[in-house]
Amino acid sequence: MSAQAVIDLANAIKADATLKALCASSQCADVDDQCNIAKEKGFDIHPHDFDQFNNGDLIETDREDTFLKPSWWERIPQQ
């Protein structure tokens, strides 16, 4: 959807210890996993939203997979 959706998700993760633990776990290592959790929580986020956020600051690429940097939500200022 947009950069704002990524920011909103990051703020929700920061505010919810259970969600933070889930997003920090191996269940959410890649962008697709994170998007699935986001959709379950009511956020409309597409993998490209993470790719495009701040010129790719949130992702690491390893071979053909795209993984989020650990604790990616801490890289986003509280808004």
Side-chain angles (χ1 to χ4, degrees), residues 27-48:
Q27 293 176 317
C28 287
D30 69 20
V31 173
D32 292 327
D33 293 339
Q34 199 73 224
C35 288
N36 290 338
I37 295 298
K39 287 178 184 174
E40 288 176 15
K41 298 296 182 181
F43 294 92
D44 183 19
I45 295 181
H46 188 274
H48 295 297

Side-chain angles (χ1 to χ4, degrees), residues 6-74:
V6 174
I7 292 167
D8 292 344
L9 176 60
N11 289 334
I13 292 169
K14 291 176 189 178
D16 184 334
T18 303
L19 182 57
K20 185 184 289 186
L22 177 61
C23 291
S25 74
S26 61
Q27 293 176 317
C28 287
D30 69 20
V31 173
D32 292 327
D33 293 339
Q34 199 73 224
C35 288
N36 290 338
I37 295 298
K39 287 178 184 174
E40 288 176 15
K41 298 296 182 181
F43 294 92
D44 183 19
I45 295 181
H46 188 274
H48 295 297
D49 295 332
F50 288 104
D51 295 340
Q52 295 172 359
F53 189 87
N54 203 21
N55 295 318
D57 182 48
L58 303 180
I59 60 168
E60 297 173 345
T61 55
D62 182 74
R63 290 168 280 164
E64 296 179 8
D65 296 321
T66 301
F67 295 94
L68 289 166
K69 292 184 178 175
S71 302
W72 63 267
W73 51 88
E74 298 297 339

